[in-house]
């Protein structure tokens, strides 16, 4: 008989509420941007944000690792040691990656038809992908879900307000990107303040045996997850005209709300399942989490199926038939990705990461399928559904049981 886990339910509810407020502000951000920018400019912005989602592999990996190692540690001095060691390494690595990105951006700017300065400005978010996850991982691992959720809310609120102001004064896409960078800085500073009790404690050496052996699989697997749910807009920018890519981006951003809305459940599950020693206890947690995710997916797909025109009109300010026609298909695709993400994080929390190298095959399949089936938006969207179903299958079968 499945047991109801109160810690998971309460943690999930806190993160569902706070993260959906965060997602709401992000939705309003895109709501204003799609109206204030031309369709071509919004296509550029959506492409840049898809690239930001992929840099999220670093933030998700770091936060996941810090969460796992802090979940069972109660000594504040050792947690401070974990913080200081990780921050120093994260700063060095992010600086190196930014320099490399600045060179790679030269040919990439030409390929994507995006100004080089705008692309490198977006690259500043590499630092945001390495530093805030350290503090947020500590908040998540110590189950300070309210503080974690509030930190995300403040970031999205600052981004929303500043972006509207900067776009209004004529900065266009630059304004949205600058606002995003500033908001990340504000969130990082506030997350440090939220950990003042830990950071004021006397530092003690924390043994992190096996952290590197655990880190590489986490980084590799989450990189593939990030690429999988982000690259559809980038490929659309390459294979379609600017306007058609913009239509796709509008529907894709809306459909991705399913993925982001269910992420809090995965984040609440991770530290709880990482603590469990008995397989039955962890399995009960997984069943609870899958049930919650299914409820979210069912509600979302029902709305997508019956009210696609209304959603597109609310989001973009007008009815775009091209976006309306593919919204439900994209909703199915990102629902499948949401389930895959939940299963992947659950298995990572338990250290079930054998045979992870083969995981790279799924983004490769997605990329090939999307390039091959790109005659029109409907075909392209159905190709994404197919790739997502294969991805879910892989998340279930290609890990050690």
């Amino acid at each position: 008989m499945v047991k109801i886990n109160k810690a998971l339910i309460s943690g999930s509810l806190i993160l569902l509420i706070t993260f959906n407020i965060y997602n709401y502000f992000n939705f309003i951000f895109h709501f204003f941007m799609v109206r204030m920018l031309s369709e071509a400019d919004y296509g550029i912005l959506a492409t840049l944000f898809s690239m930001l989602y992929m840099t999220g592999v670093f933030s998700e990996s770091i936060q996941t690792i810090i969460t796992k190692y802090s979940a069972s540690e109660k000594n504040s001095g050792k947690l401070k040691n974990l913080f200081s060691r990780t921050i120093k390494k994260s700063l060095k690595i992010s600086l190196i990656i930014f320099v490399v990105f600045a060179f790679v951006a030269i040919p990439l700017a030409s390929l994507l038809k995006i100004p080089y300065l705008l692309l490198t400005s977006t690259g500043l978010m590499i630092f945001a992908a390495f530093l805030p996850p350290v503090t947020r991982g500590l908040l998540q691992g110590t189950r300070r879900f309210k503080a974690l959720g509030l930190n995300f809310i403040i970031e999205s609120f600052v981004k929303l307000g500043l972006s509207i102001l900067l776009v209004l004064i004529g900065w266009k896409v630059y304004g949205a990107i600058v606002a995003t960078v500033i908001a990340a800085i504000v969130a990082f500073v506030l997350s440090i303040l939220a950990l003042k009790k830990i950071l004021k404690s006397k530092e003690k050496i924390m043994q992190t045996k096996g952290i590197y052996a655990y880190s590489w699989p986490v980084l590799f697997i989450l990189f593939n997850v990030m690429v999988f749910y982000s690259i559809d807009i980038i490929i659309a920018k390459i294979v379609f005209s600017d306007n058609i890519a913009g239509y796709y981006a509008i529907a894709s951003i809306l459909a991705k709300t399913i993925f982001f809305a269910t992420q809090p459940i995965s984040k609440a599950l991770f530290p709880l399942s990482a603590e469990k020693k008995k397989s039955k206890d962890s399995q009960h947690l997984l069943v609870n989490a899958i049930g919650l995710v299914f409820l979210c997916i069912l509600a979302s797909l029902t709305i997508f199926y019956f009210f696609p025109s209304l959603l597109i009109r609310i989001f973009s300010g007008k009815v775009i038939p091209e976006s309306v026609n593919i919204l439900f298909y994209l909703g199915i695709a990102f629902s499948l990705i949401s389930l895959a993400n939940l299963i992947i994080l659950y298995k990572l929390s338990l250290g079930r990461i054998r045979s992870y190298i083969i995981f790279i095959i799924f983004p490769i399949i997605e990329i090939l399928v999307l390039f091959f089936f790109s005659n029109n938006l409907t075909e392209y969207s159905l190709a994404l559904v197919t790739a997502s179903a294969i991805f879910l299958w892989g998340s279930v079968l290609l890990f050690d049981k």
Side-chain angles (χ1 to χ4, degrees):
M1 185 175 179
V2 177
K3 298 178 182 178
I4 302 298
N5 188 284
K6 293 181 180 179
L8 173 65
I9 299 298
S10 61
S12 295
L13 285 175
I14 291 171
L15 290 182
L16 273 172
I17 293 170
T18 55
F19 271 58
N20 280 319
I21 294 173
Y22 162 76
N23 288 327
Y24 172 76
F25 282 131
N26 283 332
F27 175 83
I28 296 299
F29 166 81
H30 286 284
F31 176 87
F32 278 103
M33 293 302 103
V34 78
R35 285 165 168 74
M36 298 173 72
L37 300 171
S38 68
E39 287 165 350
D41 277 347
Y42 183 74
I44 291 174
L45 181 65
T47 301
L48 292 173
F49 268 85
S50 293
M51 294 176 67
L52 291 181
Y53 294 148
M54 284 194 286
T55 64
V57 61
F58 302 113
S59 59
E60 286 296 321
S61 299
I62 294 169
Q63 188 168 329
T64 298
I65 293 162
I66 298 299
T67 298
K68 180 173 176 62
Y69 278 84
S70 61
S72 56
E73 181 57 66
K74 307 301 180 185
N75 187 289
S76 295
K78 291 183 178 180
L79 292 174
K80 180 180 179 179
N81 179 250
L82 179 64
F83 166 82
S84 60
R85 287 160 56 192
T86 311
I87 279 289
K88 291 175 183 177
K89 291 180 181 178
S90 295
L91 184 59
K92 291 178 182 178
I93 294 171
S94 58
L95 182 59
I96 293 170
I97 293 178
F98 175 74
V99 172
V100 172
F101 177 79
F103 284 101
V104 173
I106 297 173
L108 194 60
S110 177
L111 177 65
L112 296 175
K113 295 166 283 187
I114 297 174
Y116 174 76
L117 181 59
L118 181 57
L119 204 54
T120 49
S121 298
T122 306
L124 291 172
M125 287 299 291
I126 289 170
F127 292 97
F130 278 88
L131 302 179
V134 178
T135 51
R136 286 171 170 172
L138 283 171
L139 291 173
Q140 185 180 349
T142 54
R143 300 189 192 182
R144 296 188 58 190
F145 295 137
K146 290 180 182 177
L148 177 63
L150 182 60
N151 190 259
F152 278 98
I153 290 173
I154 292 172
E155 179 182 355
S156 61
F157 181 76
V158 173
K159 180 178 74 174
L160 171 63
L162 271 180
S163 63
I164 292 173
L165 176 63
L166 295 177
V167 172
L168 277 175
I169 64 175
W171 287 25
K172 297 184 179 180
V173 182
Y174 285 94
I177 295 301
V178 169
T180 302
V181 172
I182 293 174
I185 295 171
V186 171
F188 178 56
V189 172
L190 292 178
S191 65
I192 290 176
L193 295 177
L195 292 169
K196 61 182 180 181
K197 183 177 179 181
I198 290 175
L199 299 182
K200 285 183 177 179
S201 61
K202 186 177 180 180
E203 188 170 344
K204 297 181 180 178
I205 299 297
M206 179 179 178
Q207 298 298 324
T208 53
K209 184 180 179 180
I211 191 169
Y212 291 110
Y214 180 75
S215 299
W216 286 113
V218 169
L219 180 63
F220 184 84
I221 292 169
L222 293 184
F223 172 75
N224 284 281
V225 174
M226 296 293 175
V227 169
F228 199 95
Y229 80 72
S230 303
I231 204 165
D232 62 314
I233 291 179
I234 296 174
I235 295 175
K237 186 73 170 62
I238 296 172
V239 299
F240 296 119
S241 67
D242 289 345
N243 284 340
I244 296 298
Y247 298 151
Y248 179 83
I250 289 169
S252 181
I253 293 294
L254 269 175
K256 280 183 172 74
T257 58
I258 295 177
F259 180 85
F260 294 123
T262 56
Q263 252 193 332
I265 299 170
S266 303
K267 289 186 179 294
L269 171 69
F270 191 92
L272 296 172
S273 59
E275 279 189 307
K276 295 298 180 182
K277 303 295 184 182
K278 297 179 181 179
S279 60
K280 285 187 177 180
D281 291 338
S282 66
Q283 288 170 4
H284 285 310
L285 283 168
L286 178 62
V287 172
N288 282 203
I290 289 175
L292 290 172
V293 170
F294 261 120
L295 288 175
C296 292
I297 287 173
L298 182 61
S300 300
L301 289 181
T302 300
I303 296 171
F304 281 13
Y305 183 81
F306 287 106
F307 309 106
S309 297
L310 178 62
L311 291 173
I312 296 296
R313 185 165 65 245
I314 290 173
F315 184 53
S316 66
K318 55 188 174 182
V319 175
I320 303 173
E322 294 88 348
S323 302
V324 171
N325 292 338
I326 63 174
L327 181 59
F328 182 69
Y329 298 136
L330 295 182
I332 293 174
F334 287 105
S335 296
L336 296 172
I337 295 170
S338 298
L339 288 169
N341 183 62
L342 175 69
I343 293 168
I344 288 167
L345 286 177
Y346 167 73
K347 292 187 175 183
L348 284 176
S349 72
L350 300 178
R352 298 177 180 177
I353 51 179
R354 188 171 64 88
S355 304
Y356 65 90
I357 294 294
I358 198 173
F359 214 70
I360 196 173
I361 193 173
F362 299 108
I364 292 174
I365 290 173
E366 179 193 25
I367 291 169
L368 293 175
V369 167
L370 291 181
F371 269 112
F372 188 77
F373 295 99
S374 57
N375 291 319
N376 56 67
L377 288 181
T378 300
E379 182 180 272
Y380 187 83
S381 302
L382 289 173
L384 182 62
V385 173
T386 302
S388 300
I390 296 171
F391 183 57
L392 175 58
W393 170 81
S395 70
V396 174
L397 298 181
L398 291 185
F399 282 89
D400 184 25
K401 292 184 179 181

